[in-house]
Amino acid sequence: MITLLGMIFYGFGVVEGKMITEKKISEFQRKINRLKSLAVISIQSEDGDIIDCIDIYKQPAFDHPALKNHTIQMAPSYDPKMDSATETTTRTNTLNKRNNEDSSVTVTSQLWQKSGSCPKGTIPIRRVQEKELLKTDSTEEYGRKKATFCLLLRRLTKEPQTSAQIALYTSLVSLLAFHGLYEPFMAILLTEGFSYSGVKGDIRAWNPFVESDDEYSTSQISLKSGPYYDFESLESGWAVNPSVYGDKQTRLFVYWTADASKTTGCFDLTCPGFVQTSSEVALGAAIYPLSVPYGLPYQITLYIFKDPATNNWWVQYGEKINLGYWPPNLFTLLFHGNAEGAEWGGEVYSLKLGHPNHTRTEMGNGQFPDGMFGNSGTVKRLRIRENSLILKFPEWVFTYSDDYDCYRTLYVEDYIEDPEFYYGGPGRSPVNSALYGDSDLTFQIPDCCFDLTCTGLVQTSSEIALSAAIEPISTFQSQYCINVRMFLDVTTGIGWLYGNNKPSGYWPGNLFSYLTYGAISVEWG
């Protein structure tokens, strides 16, 4: 029977041009069959997932050498809701009320929960499918991000401008990509300079387009320590990640690494490490409902925090559910102390980032940051915890984007009670295709210009030449004028330009973040 199965898998054993060996198939079969055999009950979700309810003491975490004799901590040693109860300033007292409120009706759930629930004493584990495992070279690498080396490359080469610099940069990127050494692009809000024992946020849930099965898009919160080439990280959020989950649904995830993903770390429970305690939520399962433009803003609330008694790093979901924790002995820096930085925002991974034929994989919902209507990646109720058990807004923050032309950031703090962070973008799009066209590589594209000196305005008139001189002009004796009119076509989002009552051209709506929906002021002068 085993031989027959091996022949069946071998018949389909070509993934992205690589032949799957019988040894590799056998390795995958053992992993899948072992988890199946541990299931107390299995639940078939309407989206095709199978959720296995496995004895909490037999979960994958305990296969890690550092956790052989680990004793499970069933719950944090204190109530995390108390974190916001001791703030005393006027501003934070106002925000405390919002911290202590349960998330609104816009909080998402999980699809599999419609079909059943796991009994107490078990944890729900999404069953890994053969097609997902066959996309990786080994079970050890399944679920792990690619190592991040291109940040060093970009810092060494700065911004290449000459043809020789561009050629060298492109060659080095291609070489790193060939060896699987590539990094994601981020658009994040970041705080550093203190010691962080917690990070929290309300993350708007979307379903961004992901172009290829080896790419992903995430929105998350994270805590990090260490240098960029060897950092330790704790992350949680939602992801569209076909290489791990086998489809392009939006799914809840946790992620960890102790060495910048070179040899350690993974999503969810795809490798030993994270100890799950909740019987209600399945890591890697699809979430619903999701936000749609101008619809209800569905969100997930996540909180990563350190237990002061055990030093375990917990993940809380939706204000109430403690999903589980990472034991501190998985790490070095995060074992001995707190994190050096906290982050909120989005991440996109692709082998086509930053060079010709840039990916069209979206971040957030594929729109540039929209602080007016929230039609973009959004994180609200941004909180950190330092050495004391106090949730608060960070004292200072700054935004960062690896590629402003494709993925942008917007931090809003003025005239609102609680600062908000917006991020995202379309990847390669008609707006920025000149930046990543198939011809010569260009590293800058103007965000503004006069007339037709950059890509943007689409001229339609054959009678008027923009930037051409006009005559006659006004004098003391005679006055002349031109009639200029601009208006937004609410159906198409196009901003039209009329000169002397004739259409001259238009600006496509996807050039802008805010003006697509209307202006907030009008000026003359």
mmCIF file of all heavy atoms in Angstrom, residues 455-491:
data_model
loop_
_atom_site.group_PDB
_atom_site.id
_atom_site.type_symbol
_atom_site.label_atom_id
_atom_site.label_comp_id
_atom_site.label_asym_id
_atom_site.label_seq_id
_atom_site.Cartn_x
_atom_site.Cartn_y
_atom_site.Cartn_z
ATOM 1 N N THR A 455 4.796 60.979 -16.186
ATOM 2 C CA THR A 455 3.577 60.209 -16.426
ATOM 3 C C THR A 455 2.493 60.643 -15.463
ATOM 4 O O THR A 455 2.761 60.932 -14.301
ATOM 5 C CB THR A 455 3.853 58.710 -16.248
ATOM 6 O OG1 THR A 455 4.381 58.481 -14.938
ATOM 7 C CG2 THR A 455 4.829 58.205 -17.277
ATOM 8 N N GLY A 456 1.258 60.715 -15.922
ATOM 9 C CA GLY A 456 0.159 61.112 -15.046
ATOM 10 C C GLY A 456 -1.029 61.634 -15.826
ATOM 11 O O GLY A 456 -1.980 60.904 -16.079
ATOM 12 N N LEU A 457 -0.962 62.890 -16.262
ATOM 13 C CA LEU A 457 -2.062 63.502 -17.001
ATOM 14 C C LEU A 457 -2.204 62.846 -18.373
ATOM 15 O O LEU A 457 -1.227 62.654 -19.099
ATOM 16 C CB LEU A 457 -1.812 64.997 -17.177
ATOM 17 C CG LEU A 457 -2.896 65.747 -17.966
ATOM 18 C CD1 LEU A 457 -4.168 65.874 -17.137
ATOM 19 C CD2 LEU A 457 -2.391 67.124 -18.390
ATOM 20 N N VAL A 458 -3.438 62.514 -18.722
ATOM 21 C CA VAL A 458 -3.742 61.967 -20.044
ATOM 22 C C VAL A 458 -4.384 63.081 -20.875
ATOM 23 O O VAL A 458 -5.504 63.510 -20.588
ATOM 24 C CB VAL A 458 -4.696 60.757 -19.951
ATOM 25 C CG1 VAL A 458 -5.034 60.235 -21.348
ATOM 26 C CG2 VAL A 458 -4.080 59.663 -19.091
ATOM 27 N N GLN A 459 -3.674 63.564 -21.882
ATOM 28 C CA GLN A 459 -4.220 64.650 -22.700
ATOM 29 C C GLN A 459 -5.147 64.096 -23.778
ATOM 30 O O GLN A 459 -4.851 63.082 -24.421
ATOM 31 C CB GLN A 459 -3.100 65.459 -23.358
ATOM 32 C CG GLN A 459 -3.630 66.663 -24.141
ATOM 33 C CD GLN A 459 -2.560 67.678 -24.462
ATOM 34 O OE1 GLN A 459 -1.482 67.634 -23.887
ATOM 35 N NE2 GLN A 459 -2.867 68.586 -25.383
ATOM 36 N N THR A 460 -6.281 64.778 -23.983
ATOM 37 C CA THR A 460 -7.261 64.346 -24.988
ATOM 38 C C THR A 460 -7.471 65.385 -26.080
ATOM 39 O O THR A 460 -8.009 65.071 -27.140
ATOM 40 C CB THR A 460 -8.615 64.057 -24.309
ATOM 41 O OG1 THR A 460 -9.074 65.237 -23.638
ATOM 42 C CG2 THR A 460 -8.487 62.908 -23.313
ATOM 43 N N SER A 461 -7.057 66.621 -25.829
ATOM 44 C CA SER A 461 -7.307 67.706 -26.782
ATOM 45 C C SER A 461 -6.207 67.769 -27.848
ATOM 46 O O SER A 461 -5.025 67.659 -27.538
ATOM 47 C CB SER A 461 -7.371 69.041 -26.053
ATOM 48 O OG SER A 461 -7.448 70.115 -26.964
ATOM 49 N N SER A 462 -6.629 67.958 -29.094
ATOM 50 C CA SER A 462 -5.678 68.165 -30.192
ATOM 51 C C SER A 462 -5.502 69.648 -30.497
ATOM 52 O O SER A 462 -4.730 70.009 -31.396
ATOM 53 C CB SER A 462 -6.152 67.439 -31.450
ATOM 54 O OG SER A 462 -7.411 67.977 -31.874
ATOM 55 N N GLU A 463 -6.191 70.503 -29.729
ATOM 56 C CA GLU A 463 -6.177 71.939 -30.019
ATOM 57 C C GLU A 463 -5.286 72.712 -29.067
ATOM 58 O O GLU A 463 -4.777 73.779 -29.418
ATOM 59 C CB GLU A 463 -7.607 72.496 -29.940
ATOM 60 C CG GLU A 463 -8.585 71.822 -30.876
ATOM 61 C CD GLU A 463 -9.988 72.380 -30.698
ATOM 62 O OE1 GLU A 463 -10.119 73.591 -30.413
ATOM 63 O OE2 GLU A 463 -10.950 71.608 -30.815
ATOM 64 N N ILE A 464 -5.109 72.219 -27.858
ATOM 65 C CA ILE A 464 -4.370 72.952 -26.830
ATOM 66 C C ILE A 464 -3.079 72.212 -26.512
ATOM 67 O O ILE A 464 -3.085 71.003 -26.251
ATOM 68 C CB ILE A 464 -5.212 73.109 -25.563
ATOM 69 C CG1 ILE A 464 -6.477 73.925 -25.871
ATOM 70 C CG2 ILE A 464 -4.409 73.764 -24.451
ATOM 71 C CD1 ILE A 464 -7.415 74.048 -24.703
ATOM 72 N N ALA A 465 -1.971 72.934 -26.515
ATOM 73 C CA ALA A 465 -0.679 72.369 -26.134
ATOM 74 C C ALA A 465 -0.333 72.860 -24.733
ATOM 75 O O ALA A 465 -0.158 74.070 -24.526
ATOM 76 C CB ALA A 465 0.398 72.761 -27.126
ATOM 77 N N LEU A 466 -0.256 71.952 -23.810
ATOM 78 C CA LEU A 466 0.120 72.335 -22.452
ATOM 79 C C LEU A 466 1.540 72.881 -22.439
ATOM 80 O O LEU A 466 2.425 72.356 -23.127
ATOM 81 C CB LEU A 466 0.009 71.123 -21.526
ATOM 82 C CG LEU A 466 -1.406 70.584 -21.321
ATOM 83 C CD1 LEU A 466 -1.398 69.267 -20.581
ATOM 84 C CD2 LEU A 466 -2.258 71.611 -20.577
ATOM 85 N N SER A 467 1.758 73.904 -21.661
ATOM 86 C CA SER A 467 3.028 74.628 -21.477
ATOM 87 C C SER A 467 3.330 75.591 -22.624
ATOM 88 O O SER A 467 4.335 76.300 -22.587
ATOM 89 C CB SER A 467 4.215 73.673 -21.266
ATOM 90 O OG SER A 467 4.625 73.069 -22.470
ATOM 91 N N ALA A 468 2.466 75.608 -23.655
ATOM 92 C CA ALA A 468 2.671 76.580 -24.737
ATOM 93 C C ALA A 468 2.254 77.982 -24.270
ATOM 94 O O ALA A 468 1.412 78.141 -23.388
ATOM 95 C CB ALA A 468 1.863 76.188 -25.976
ATOM 96 N N ALA A 469 2.866 78.998 -24.846
ATOM 97 C CA ALA A 469 2.566 80.377 -24.455
ATOM 98 C C ALA A 469 1.142 80.746 -24.866
ATOM 99 O O ALA A 469 0.609 80.228 -25.855
ATOM 100 C CB ALA A 469 3.555 81.331 -25.119
ATOM 101 N N ILE A 470 0.532 81.626 -24.090
ATOM 102 C CA ILE A 470 -0.809 82.114 -24.416
ATOM 103 C C ILE A 470 -0.737 83.595 -24.758
ATOM 104 O O ILE A 470 0.120 84.328 -24.252
ATOM 105 C CB ILE A 470 -1.791 81.890 -23.236
ATOM 106 C CG1 ILE A 470 -1.269 82.571 -21.963
ATOM 107 C CG2 ILE A 470 -2.017 80.415 -22.984
ATOM 108 C CD1 ILE A 470 -2.234 82.473 -20.794
ATOM 109 N N GLU A 471 -1.632 83.987 -25.631
ATOM 110 C CA GLU A 471 -1.680 85.391 -26.027
ATOM 111 C C GLU A 471 -3.099 85.717 -26.494
ATOM 112 O O GLU A 471 -3.836 84.803 -26.918
ATOM 113 C CB GLU A 471 -0.677 85.691 -27.146
ATOM 114 C CG GLU A 471 -0.906 84.920 -28.421
ATOM 115 C CD GLU A 471 0.081 85.302 -29.504
ATOM 116 O OE1 GLU A 471 1.141 85.892 -29.208
ATOM 117 O OE2 GLU A 471 -0.231 85.016 -30.664
ATOM 118 N N PRO A 472 -3.501 86.983 -26.424
ATOM 119 C CA PRO A 472 -2.757 88.077 -25.795
ATOM 120 C C PRO A 472 -2.815 87.983 -24.269
ATOM 121 O O PRO A 472 -3.566 87.187 -23.725
ATOM 122 C CB PRO A 472 -3.509 89.311 -26.305
ATOM 123 C CG PRO A 472 -4.913 88.825 -26.482
ATOM 124 C CD PRO A 472 -4.793 87.399 -26.968
ATOM 125 N N ILE A 473 -2.007 88.799 -23.599
ATOM 126 C CA ILE A 473 -2.010 88.831 -22.153
ATOM 127 C C ILE A 473 -2.502 90.197 -21.676
ATOM 128 O O ILE A 473 -2.505 91.163 -22.431
ATOM 129 C CB ILE A 473 -0.606 88.536 -21.582
ATOM 130 C CG1 ILE A 473 0.405 89.565 -22.094
ATOM 131 C CG2 ILE A 473 -0.162 87.118 -21.938
ATOM 132 C CD1 ILE A 473 1.773 89.415 -21.445
ATOM 133 N N SER A 474 -2.915 90.250 -20.447
ATOM 134 C CA SER A 474 -3.516 91.478 -19.907
ATOM 135 C C SER A 474 -2.482 92.591 -19.779
ATOM 136 O O SER A 474 -1.300 92.354 -19.511
ATOM 137 C CB SER A 474 -4.129 91.202 -18.540
ATOM 138 O OG SER A 474 -5.147 90.241 -18.626
ATOM 139 N N THR A 475 -2.975 93.815 -19.989
ATOM 140 C CA THR A 475 -2.184 95.027 -19.764
ATOM 141 C C THR A 475 -3.045 95.977 -18.959
ATOM 142 O O THR A 475 -4.209 95.695 -18.648
ATOM 143 C CB THR A 475 -1.780 95.680 -21.094
ATOM 144 O OG1 THR A 475 -2.968 96.113 -21.769
ATOM 145 C CG2 THR A 475 -1.009 94.703 -21.974
ATOM 146 N N PHE A 476 -2.502 97.174 -18.678
ATOM 147 C CA PHE A 476 -3.316 98.147 -17.963
ATOM 148 C C PHE A 476 -4.520 98.579 -18.788
ATOM 149 O O PHE A 476 -5.559 98.945 -18.259
ATOM 150 C CB PHE A 476 -2.473 99.381 -17.598
ATOM 151 C CG PHE A 476 -1.508 99.133 -16.479
ATOM 152 C CD1 PHE A 476 -0.141 99.071 -16.714
ATOM 153 C CD2 PHE A 476 -1.968 98.933 -15.187
ATOM 154 C CE1 PHE A 476 0.738 98.847 -15.685
ATOM 155 C CE2 PHE A 476 -1.087 98.708 -14.159
ATOM 156 C CZ PHE A 476 0.281 98.658 -14.404
ATOM 157 N N GLN A 477 -4.347 98.556 -20.103
ATOM 158 C CA GLN A 477 -5.426 99.015 -20.953
ATOM 159 C C GLN A 477 -6.452 97.919 -21.252
ATOM 160 O O GLN A 477 -7.645 98.188 -21.392
ATOM 161 C CB GLN A 477 -4.861 99.547 -22.286
ATOM 162 C CG GLN A 477 -4.088 100.837 -22.168
ATOM 163 C CD GLN A 477 -2.682 100.613 -21.614
ATOM 164 O OE1 GLN A 477 -2.127 99.522 -21.771
ATOM 165 N NE2 GLN A 477 -2.130 101.628 -20.961
ATOM 166 N N SER A 478 -5.995 96.668 -21.351
ATOM 167 C CA SER A 478 -6.893 95.576 -21.742
ATOM 168 C C SER A 478 -6.721 94.390 -20.797
ATOM 169 O O SER A 478 -5.601 94.076 -20.380
ATOM 170 C CB SER A 478 -6.600 95.126 -23.180
ATOM 171 O OG SER A 478 -6.697 96.213 -24.083
ATOM 172 N N GLN A 479 -7.848 93.740 -20.475
ATOM 173 C CA GLN A 479 -7.821 92.585 -19.583
ATOM 174 C C GLN A 479 -8.266 91.347 -20.352
ATOM 175 O O GLN A 479 -9.288 91.352 -21.052
ATOM 176 C CB GLN A 479 -8.758 92.818 -18.391
ATOM 177 C CG GLN A 479 -8.434 94.056 -17.587
ATOM 178 C CD GLN A 479 -7.085 93.955 -16.893
ATOM 179 O OE1 GLN A 479 -6.763 92.912 -16.339
ATOM 180 N NE2 GLN A 479 -6.305 95.017 -16.969
ATOM 181 N N TYR A 480 -7.469 90.260 -20.245
ATOM 182 C CA TYR A 480 -7.802 88.994 -20.872
ATOM 183 C C TYR A 480 -7.808 87.899 -19.801
ATOM 184 O O TYR A 480 -7.124 87.994 -18.777
ATOM 185 C CB TYR A 480 -6.801 88.645 -21.973
ATOM 186 C CG TYR A 480 -6.766 89.655 -23.086
ATOM 187 C CD1 TYR A 480 -5.857 90.714 -23.065
ATOM 188 C CD2 TYR A 480 -7.653 89.562 -24.155
ATOM 189 C CE1 TYR A 480 -5.829 91.645 -24.089
ATOM 190 C CE2 TYR A 480 -7.627 90.485 -25.185
ATOM 191 C CZ TYR A 480 -6.718 91.522 -25.140
ATOM 192 O OH TYR A 480 -6.698 92.461 -26.154
ATOM 193 N N CYS A 481 -8.565 86.880 -20.054
ATOM 194 C CA CYS A 481 -8.626 85.799 -19.067
ATOM 195 C C CYS A 481 -8.786 84.450 -19.782
ATOM 196 O O CYS A 481 -9.153 84.401 -20.958
ATOM 197 C CB CYS A 481 -9.775 86.011 -18.084
ATOM 198 S SG CYS A 481 -11.411 85.921 -18.821
ATOM 199 N N ILE A 482 -8.499 83.402 -19.052
ATOM 200 C CA ILE A 482 -8.753 82.049 -19.542
ATOM 201 C C ILE A 482 -9.727 81.378 -18.573
ATOM 202 O O ILE A 482 -9.732 81.677 -17.379
ATOM 203 C CB ILE A 482 -7.466 81.214 -19.651
ATOM 204 C CG1 ILE A 482 -6.757 81.118 -18.289
ATOM 205 C CG2 ILE A 482 -6.528 81.779 -20.713
ATOM 206 C CD1 ILE A 482 -5.571 80.177 -18.283
ATOM 207 N N ASN A 483 -10.537 80.527 -19.107
ATOM 208 C CA ASN A 483 -11.503 79.805 -18.292
ATOM 209 C C ASN A 483 -10.970 78.397 -18.028
ATOM 210 O O ASN A 483 -10.742 77.632 -18.962
ATOM 211 C CB ASN A 483 -12.849 79.744 -19.014
ATOM 212 C CG ASN A 483 -13.879 78.977 -18.211
ATOM 213 O OD1 ASN A 483 -13.895 77.756 -18.225
ATOM 214 N ND2 ASN A 483 -14.739 79.702 -17.511
ATOM 215 N N VAL A 484 -10.740 78.099 -16.761
ATOM 216 C CA VAL A 484 -10.217 76.780 -16.373
ATOM 217 C C VAL A 484 -11.216 76.128 -15.430
ATOM 218 O O VAL A 484 -11.689 76.757 -14.471
ATOM 219 C CB VAL A 484 -8.843 76.895 -15.691
ATOM 220 C CG1 VAL A 484 -8.360 75.511 -15.246
ATOM 221 C CG2 VAL A 484 -7.834 77.533 -16.622
ATOM 222 N N ARG A 485 -11.527 74.891 -15.703
ATOM 223 C CA ARG A 485 -12.473 74.167 -14.852
ATOM 224 C C ARG A 485 -11.932 72.767 -14.592
ATOM 225 O O ARG A 485 -11.459 72.085 -15.505
ATOM 226 C CB ARG A 485 -13.837 74.103 -15.538
ATOM 227 C CG ARG A 485 -14.918 73.393 -14.717
ATOM 228 C CD ARG A 485 -16.299 73.775 -15.241
ATOM 229 N NE ARG A 485 -16.499 73.388 -16.634
ATOM 230 C CZ ARG A 485 -17.206 72.317 -16.993
ATOM 231 N NH1 ARG A 485 -17.768 71.549 -16.081
ATOM 232 N NH2 ARG A 485 -17.369 72.041 -18.289
ATOM 233 N N MET A 486 -12.014 72.321 -13.360
ATOM 234 C CA MET A 486 -11.636 70.964 -12.984
ATOM 235 C C MET A 486 -12.777 70.349 -12.189
ATOM 236 O O MET A 486 -13.375 71.004 -11.325
ATOM 237 C CB MET A 486 -10.356 70.960 -12.142
ATOM 238 C CG MET A 486 -9.115 71.400 -12.906
ATOM 239 S SD MET A 486 -7.600 71.280 -11.919
ATOM 240 C CE MET A 486 -7.884 72.608 -10.742
ATOM 241 N N PHE A 487 -13.074 69.094 -12.467
ATOM 242 C CA PHE A 487 -14.126 68.422 -11.702
ATOM 243 C C PHE A 487 -13.864 66.917 -11.685
ATOM 244 O O PHE A 487 -13.172 66.365 -12.551
ATOM 245 C CB PHE A 487 -15.515 68.724 -12.291
ATOM 246 C CG PHE A 487 -15.738 68.156 -13.667
ATOM 247 C CD1 PHE A 487 -16.304 66.881 -13.834
ATOM 248 C CD2 PHE A 487 -15.383 68.882 -14.800
ATOM 249 C CE1 PHE A 487 -16.501 66.365 -15.096
ATOM 250 C CE2 PHE A 487 -15.596 68.361 -16.072
ATOM 251 C CZ PHE A 487 -16.150 67.097 -16.218
ATOM 252 N N LEU A 488 -14.441 66.273 -10.701
ATOM 253 C CA LEU A 488 -14.274 64.832 -10.520
ATOM 254 C C LEU A 488 -15.484 64.103 -11.082
ATOM 255 O O LEU A 488 -16.626 64.403 -10.721
ATOM 256 C CB LEU A 488 -14.116 64.489 -9.031
ATOM 257 C CG LEU A 488 -13.930 63.015 -8.683
ATOM 258 C CD1 LEU A 488 -12.596 62.506 -9.198
ATOM 259 C CD2 LEU A 488 -14.027 62.811 -7.170
ATOM 260 N N ASP A 489 -15.245 63.153 -11.966
ATOM 261 C CA ASP A 489 -16.300 62.276 -12.466
ATOM 262 C C ASP A 489 -16.523 61.192 -11.418
ATOM 263 O O ASP A 489 -15.684 60.298 -11.236
ATOM 264 C CB ASP A 489 -15.877 61.660 -13.802
ATOM 265 C CG ASP A 489 -16.997 60.842 -14.451
ATOM 266 O OD1 ASP A 489 -17.770 60.214 -13.701
ATOM 267 O OD2 ASP A 489 -17.077 60.825 -15.683
ATOM 268 N N VAL A 490 -17.625 61.266 -10.702
ATOM 269 C CA VAL A 490 -17.855 60.356 -9.572
ATOM 270 C C VAL A 490 -18.057 58.917 -10.026
ATOM 271 O O VAL A 490 -17.923 57.985 -9.234
ATOM 272 C CB VAL A 490 -19.077 60.825 -8.750
ATOM 273 C CG1 VAL A 490 -18.796 62.173 -8.105
ATOM 274 C CG2 VAL A 490 -20.331 60.891 -9.614
ATOM 275 N N THR A 491 -18.373 58.710 -11.284
ATOM 276 C CA THR A 491 -18.580 57.342 -11.791
ATOM 277 C C THR A 491 -17.262 56.630 -12.041
ATOM 278 O O THR A 491 -17.084 55.469 -11.680
ATOM 279 C CB THR A 491 -19.398 57.371 -13.093
ATOM 280 O OG1 THR A 491 -20.638 58.028 -12.857
ATOM 281 C CG2 THR A 491 -19.663 55.950 -13.589
#
